[in-house]
């Protein structure tokens, strides 16, 4: 238990130092594009990728992978609002969509569009900033996390 806590503390201390080298491309960026296409079809303004929110979405996907726990609530970070608060991200409203096992962004989108609650998050006009995180475990299972933020 002590070793786990020390590792988590080390991660939390050094992750902000990596922010300057943060890259956002590939499947994460593709999923945001698909979301913005869906928003455009619904007449909703596009989401802006926020690198800080995207970084936290990656933390969330890594957390689900590490704990083999597919849940909006994290053992480490709490709920999505608590995650943003912990890293001092301002918001008036936060939403989160998660997915597991889908290989490509299009599959994730199909699952979310087929769910009333997930689709409501995607098309919520109040959400203006977003980030997607993606992690793959040792068995090849993908964990996706989308964080949506309103000012």
């Amino acid at each position: 238990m002590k070793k786990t806590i020390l590792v988590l503390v080390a991660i939390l201390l050094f992750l902000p130092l990596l922010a300057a080298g943060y890259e956002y491309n590939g499947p994460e960026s593709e999923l945001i594009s698909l979301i913005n296409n869906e928003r455009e079809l619904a007449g909703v303004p596009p989401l802006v990728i926020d690198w800080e929110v995207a970084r936290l979405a990656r933390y969330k996907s890594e957390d689900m992978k590490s704990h083999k726990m597919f849940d909006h609530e994290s053992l480490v970070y709490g709920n999505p609002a608590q995650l943003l608060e912990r890293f001092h991200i301002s918001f008036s409203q936060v939403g989160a969509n998660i997915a597991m096992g889908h290989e490509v962004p299009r599959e994730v989108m199909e699952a979310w569009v087929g769910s009333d609650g997930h689709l409501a998050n995607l098309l919520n006009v109040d959400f203006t900033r977003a980030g997607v995180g993606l992690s793959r475990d040792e068995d090849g299972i993908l964990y996706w996390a989308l964080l949506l933020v309103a000012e």
Side-chain angles (χ1 to χ4, degrees), residues 24-63:
Y24 205 72
N25 52 35
E28 295 162 324
S29 181
E30 183 181 342
L31 184 53
I32 289 288
S33 293
L34 291 170
I35 293 166
N36 279 336
N37 289 343
E38 193 70 27
R39 288 172 68 93
E40 182 180 359
L41 290 172
V44 178
L47 296 167
V48 173
I49 296 171
D50 181 312
W51 75 266
E52 290 178 301
V53 174
R55 178 174 54 112
L56 298 185
R58 280 190 178 171
Y59 292 178
K60 173 62 181 162
S61 67
E62 282 289 322
D63 180 61

Side-chain angles (χ1 to χ4, degrees), residues 59-68 74-77:
Y59 292 178
K60 173 62 181 162
S61 67
E62 282 289 322
D63 180 61
M64 289 190 295
K65 174 189 86 171
S66 297
H67 292 96
K68 301 276 190 220
S74 164
L75 297 173
V76 176
Y77 302 112

